[in-house]
Structures are given as C-alpha cells and as structure tokens.
Amino acid sequence: MTATIERGSATAPVNSPKKAPARKRPGGFLGSSNGKKVVMAVTGAVMVLFLVAHMLGNLKIFFGRDSFNEYAHALRTLLEPIAPYRTLLTILEIVLVVSVVMHMWAAISLSRRASHARPVKYVAKKSQANGYATHIMRFGGATILLFVIWHLLDLTFGVVNPEGFNSTPADRMVSGFDASRWWVTLIYAVAVVMVGLHLRHGIWSAFQTLGWANRNRYRALRVTAAAVSVVLVVGFLAPPLAITFGVIK
Amino acid sequence: MNLTLKVWRQSGPSDAGRMVTYRVEDVSPDMSFLEMLDVLNERLILEGDDPIAFDHDCREGICGMCGMVINGVAHGEQRATTTCQLHMRHFEDDATITIEPWRAAPFPVVKDLVVDRSAFDRIIQAGGFVSVPAGSAPDAHSIPVRKEDADAAFDAATCIGCGACVAACPNGSASLFTAAKITHLSLVPQGQPERLSRAKAMVDQMDAEGFGGCTNTGECTAVCPKGIPLDAIAQMNSDYLKANSK
Ligand code: HEM
Ligand code: SF4
Ligand code: FES
C-alpha cells in the first residue's frame, strides 16, 4: 500500500523574493548614514565644549553672587569696545542653536532609517553589548531637549522664574533653586544625569564616528568619556544642590 | 534532552508569519543546533507536515550560510560561534528555545528562517575588490606588508558574510560587514589605489540597500562568529570621511 503524504507548501514552489528596489535616498555626504553621524559627532562636540564652559561659569556662584554676576556681565561685554555689546554671546548662541538643530536633524533622520531597516520586530531580543547608556540615546536626547526649553524659560528669560527677567542672573539662580522649589532642583538633577548618560556613550562614539578610535584607544576613550560625564554631572549639580540645601544663600 | 521550540514559520515572502511551538524529544547533547532541527524536520516530514526551512552549507563554521536568532541572540548566546557549530550541550534539558530569522528589511524572508542576503553581494560588487592583473600567484614577499597590517587585514578578511551583525544591530545596520570588507583591502598595499573610492562606493551601496546607520552600540561585534572588531568600523568611517573631503 502506498501512503500519500500531503506535505502542504513544503513542496510548493517558493516564490523568490522580489529584488529589493534600490531605495530612493538623498545622495551626497549629508544623505549618507555616515555623513549624518559626522554631523552628530561634530555638533555633539560643540555642545560638549559649551557644557564644560557653562559648568565652569556656574561654579562661580560659590565665590559669591557678585562673582557670578560679573561673569555673566563679562560674557556680554567681551570684545567691547571693538564689537558691540553682546557680540560674542550672540555668535555663541547662534552656533549653539545651529548645533542643536543639526544634531536633532541627524538623530531623527537616523532613527527613521533604523526603524525602516527593521519593520518586523523580534519576538525575543537580548542585548549582548550591555550598554545601558547606548540604548537610551534617543530617549535621553529628547528628554534633554525638553529640559533645555524649560531651563531657558527659567534662567535665561525668567518666564517661569520667581524673580522674573528684571533681576540679576545670580538672583534668578538662587531663587530658582530655593528649597521651596525643590521640584525644580529635582527636574534639573534628572536632566543633568541624562546628559551624563548621553555623553558617557556620546563622547567615545564621536571619536569612533570620526574614525579616530582603534583597539588600542578604546579603553582610554571610554574612561575619558566616563570621566568627562562624571565631572559634568558633579559640576552641574553642585550649585543647585548647594542652594536648595542652604549652603549658598 | 527534551526541548520546546518556538519557531518562526512564514510560508513565503508575502506571508505575515507567526511563531509555532514544537516539542522535540530525545535530542543528544552532542548534536549541533542544525542537527537538532534536522531531527525535528524528519519527524515533520513523516507526519506530513511542512519541514522548517533554514539555510546551511558547510556546517563547519566557514561558509556563512547558516544563521538564526536563537533566544534573542544571533547565532545563539555562545560567543564566536556560528549556528552550525553551536551544540545542544549549551542548552538546559526541558528548555524553551525561540528561533527567528534575521530581521531586516534588506534581508527579506524567503521562507521560515531563510533570508535573502544578496544585499551583501551588491555591497561587495560596489567596491569590495582590487583591480589588478591577477595572473598567476605572485611570489610571497614580492610586495612587503607589515606584520601588524597583514594580521589586521587577515582578521577582517575572516568575515564570512553571515549577516549576524545586521540581525543583532538595533538599527539594522550593515556597518560591521561593510567595514570588514573595506578594511581587509584597505590595510594592504594592493588595496591602496582604490582605497577611498572603495569606501565611498560600498558605504553608499549599504545605504541604498536600506540598512540603518551605525550608532556604535557594539551589538554586532558581540555576536559576530568571527569576532570582527569595532575598529574596522572606525577605519571605514575614516576612509569614508577622507573620500568625501577630497
Ligand atoms: C537636543 C536633544 C538631543 C538629541 C535628540 C540627541 C540625540 C542623539 C542621538 C540619537 C545620538 C546618537 C546616538 C548614538 O550614536 O548612539 C547622539 C549622539 C551624541 N550626542 Fe546627542 N542628542 C541631544 C542633545 C545633545 C547634547 C545637549 C549634547 C552635548 C552636550 C549631545 C552630545 C552628543 C554627542 C557627543 C554624541 C555622539 C555623536 C556620535 O555618536 O558620533 N547631544 N545624540
Ligand atoms: S562581520 Fe561577523 S557577523 Fe557580520 S557578516 Fe561578517 S562574520 Fe557575520
Ligand atoms: S553552515 Fe557554513 S557556517 Fe554554518
């Protein structure tokens, strides 16, 4: 007796997948994924340099309100009388805004590519590279952006600051982080830690992106990235915590 | 050993696909992962069911044909091992194992666990060669190569094009593969004349195929059966940058 086995689609012809049509992607350096990463690395580096300077400036509050106010004033009068009031500061602000916008543009563009590249998600996926900081870059970046907006409204424009705009920078800072506004300090602390995590991956990643990393340098780069991140977190947290806990009045 | 498998079944490119649970009994710990699937497939055929399609060829870890995501890890959790070289002794008795294909838009599923990796071929075609008169094999040492360069080039050349790096990458990027293919030529004298144009052509082809961009997560090198290091990607980035700043 001959048994007939119904094999289903096993023996049915397998239609070969259509040859993936070349995607229409903008050409040129900025259209390439590598180019976008370079934009991210360079603008990221500009922002890191800014953060270091910003942190050093903030620490002036420990030398008294006058010291801090003088520094804030100096930022506006640098290059005077050669150039008008606020020249250098305005240039810096433009560079920063351009950096933030380009950094975000590259981040969003790369995230979209990433999600197009994996339309069907894994049922089970296990990370093998244990990089917590690495996996929250996009989330962290978005959090930082929200914080920056709040931060500008609070301490630059004074909109959400108890002292308002017509006050000295030091007054805004000290009132802004007053113990009664502990939640402001808390938001600030969370955001600063996010920046730290972002940079823990971001700094070494930027070196890799620009092609300056190699196996002999990875350790040093990761250590440097971690050290810079820790210094920034501590440096940025010291003034608000000191104010909230009444060390600076 | 007795195992429960949850396997991705997809009858063809246009099928949506789903996970199907199978029980496999009397598996020897000395079997390779593929042999274990062979056992299941024999049974499925006898039962008149459709066997699970998977790719394989050499079964000795050198051809790069095999590859599946096992318990969420490309080629399974055993480091520096292809699926065909992964043995069942690394699994617990009575374990439940999930098996999925590489998931990336540029690697469309042909059937079940088989994906079409011709996107890799097209990346190689874009520039992964040296244009020299080949002739007969040259004398050894006729072109001096530094030992360090020869070693690093050889390390990169061990890439078998399996695609695990793409499967593991959260961005679906083919950077490790492309970088390995670029680096193994760009470190030796024979590869110098086309070094920059090669990097540009291959990276651009990688983008055109629809792979994502690298964010230096390191997931690729962690699962790569040949341990291709991340600095290959730095080398590629450097060559690409130079090619674009000329
Ligand atoms: C505006 C909000 C921000 C967003 C949406 C954002 C997003 C991202 C993303 C998605 C990456 C790529 C992650 C990766 O390569 O794994 C990245 C990298 C980076 N970010 Fe940001 N970020 C933001 C703000 C910042 C700030 C304020 C700084 C500096 C203080 C910064 C510094 C860096 C650096 C240095 C890199 C590394 C570049 C590279 O990988 O080559 N980012 N950012
Ligand atoms: S780099 Fe490694 S994981 Fe990627 S294709 Fe080559 S051998 Fe496979
Ligand atoms: S079958 Fe050849 S590498 Fe696994």
Side-chain angles (χ1 to χ4, degrees):
Chain A
M1 202 181 85
T2 327
T4 322
I5 299 177
E6 181 48 67
R7 285 204 183 160
S9 49
T11 44
V14 172
N15 29 345
S16 60
K18 278 178 235 85
K19 190 166 163 278
R23 266 167 197 264
K24 274 196 214 75
R25 285 189 160 171
F29 186 63
L30 293 184
S32 73
S33 54
N34 270 42
K36 289 176 202 288
K37 279 308 299 277
V38 170
V39 168
M40 201 134 150
V42 172
T43 54
V46 169
M47 291 190 279
V48 171
L49 292 180
F50 159 75
L51 282 188
V52 171
H54 187 14
M55 177 197 77
L56 293 175
N58 287 357
L59 292 176
K60 295 237 172 219
I61 195 75
F62 284 104
F63 299 99
R65 292 188 184 214
D66 291 343
S67 165
F68 187 73
N69 285 335
E70 272 163 32
Y71 150 76
H73 184 66
L75 278 182
R76 287 156 181 82
T77 52
L78 271 176
L79 295 189
E80 264 189 359
I82 302 167
Y85 182 70
R86 242 179 160 285
T87 301
L88 189 69
L89 194 60
T90 309
I91 294 174
L92 278 177
E93 284 169 354
I94 293 172
V95 169
L96 273 176
V97 169
V98 169
S99 296
V100 171
V101 170
M102 288 182 70
H103 193 82
M104 280 174 49
W105 163 78
I108 293 169
S109 166
L110 283 168
S111 310
R112 293 190 46 200
R113 276 189 186 195
S115 60
H116 287 156
R118 170 135 326 123
V120 184
K121 304 280 171 268
Y122 285 105
V123 174
K125 184 78 174 74
K126 204 149 148 204
S127 167
Q128 293 296 292
N130 54 48
Y132 176 68
T134 311
H135 294 287
I136 59 161
M137 288 302 277
R138 289 170 186 144
F139 172 73
T143 322
I144 297 169
L145 180 69
L146 288 179
F147 167 73
V148 168
I149 295 171
W150 156 266
H151 186 62
L152 291 175
L153 290 176
D154 184 6
L155 295 169
T156 307
F157 303 111
V159 183
V160 291
N161 188 281
E163 300 285 329
F165 185 68
N166 288 321
S167 52
T168 68
D171 290 345
R172 284 201 290 279
M173 184 162 174
V174 175
S175 312
F177 293 115
D178 187 79
S180 64
R181 298 208 332 152
W182 57 270
W183 50 275
V184 174
T185 309
L186 189 68
I187 294 177
Y188 187 92
V190 170
V192 167
V193 169
M194 273 296 176
V195 173
L197 286 175
H198 196 77
L199 295 184
R200 189 175 170 344
H201 174 69
I203 292 175
W204 95 262
S205 175
F207 280 89
Q208 169 84 356
T209 299
L210 295 172
W212 297 337
N214 61 47
R215 64 188 80 183
N216 302 322
R217 293 186 191 164
Y218 281 138
R219 245 191 92 77
L221 284 175
R222 285 181 198 274
V223 170
T224 309
V228 173
S229 309
V230 168
V231 168
L232 282 172
V233 169
V234 172
F236 272 110
L237 282 186
L241 289 180
I243 294 168
T244 306
F245 289 100
V247 181
I248 296 176
K249 293 201 176 64
Chain B
M1 311 169 66
N2 299 322
L3 300 164
T4 304
L5 304 185
K6 292 191 171 156
V7 188
W8 182 257
R9 302 302 310 260
Q10 182 174 342
S11 63
S14 47
D15 180 22
R18 73 216 63 88
M19 298 301 276
V20 178
T21 306
Y22 297 96
R23 183 86 189 145
V24 204
E25 272 149 18
D26 294 331
V27 172
S28 151
D30 294 330
M31 282 179 183
S32 75
F33 202 82
L34 298 187
E35 283 164 344
M36 183 274 294
L37 287 177
D38 289 339
V39 168
L40 171 61
N41 273 347
E42 278 173 16
R43 200 192 81 207
L44 290 181
I45 291 171
L46 285 178
E47 289 172 356
D49 213 337
D50 188 15
I52 300 164
F54 61 87
D55 248 338
H56 62 104
D57 187 17
C58 69
R59 296 213 178 191
E60 55 185 31
I62 56 171
C63 75
M65 279 307 283
C66 64
M68 41 193 91
V69 174
I70 301 166
N71 285 338
V73 183
H75 289 306
E77 273 185 89
Q78 197 67 18
R79 293 262 160 144
T81 307
T82 54
T83 303
C84 58
Q85 290 292 296
L86 176 65
H87 288 86
M88 297 316 295
R89 54 178 166 273
H90 297 300
F91 295 85
E92 306 268 316
D93 193 13
D94 262 328
T96 300
I97 306 174
T98 60
I99 310 176
E100 297 175 72
W102 292 168
R103 295 197 191 276
F107 285 170
V109 171
V110 178
K111 186 175 190 322
D112 297 336
L113 304 173
V114 179
V115 299
D116 177 358
R117 286 172 295 135
S118 22
F120 271 9
D121 299 338
R122 292 187 290 271
I123 294 176
I124 304 260
Q125 281 161 13
F129 48 78
V130 286
S131 308
V132 289
S136 53
D139 284 341
H141 300 282
S142 62
I143 302 174
V145 183
R146 277 174 65 227
K147 169 88 168 97
E148 297 77 28
D149 291 344
D151 286 351
F154 190 80
D155 281 351
T158 58
C159 164
I160 53 178
C162 63
C165 42
V166 174
C169 177
N171 303 303
S173 171
S175 287
L176 194 65
F177 164 79
T178 309
K181 296 302 170 197
I182 288 176
T183 308
H184 95 261
L185 295 172
S186 75
L187 292 178
V188 290
Q190 293 87 336
Q192 295 313 308
E194 291 154 303
R195 179 168 179 170
L196 300 187
S197 59
R198 172 186 308 117
K200 184 160 167 29
M202 291 177 74
V203 170
D204 288 345
Q205 186 62 34
M206 170 178 89
D207 279 343
E209 294 292 345
F211 292 104
C214 172
T215 61
N216 305 323
T217 64
E219 296 287 344
C220 49
T221 182
V223 301
C224 173
K226 300 297 154 183
I228 302 294
L230 272 192
D231 45 4
I233 298 183
Q235 174 82 49
M236 168 177 83
N237 292 344
S238 160
D239 283 2
Y240 188 79
L241 198 52
K242 283 191 197 122
N244 276 283
S245 47
K246 284 184 43 142

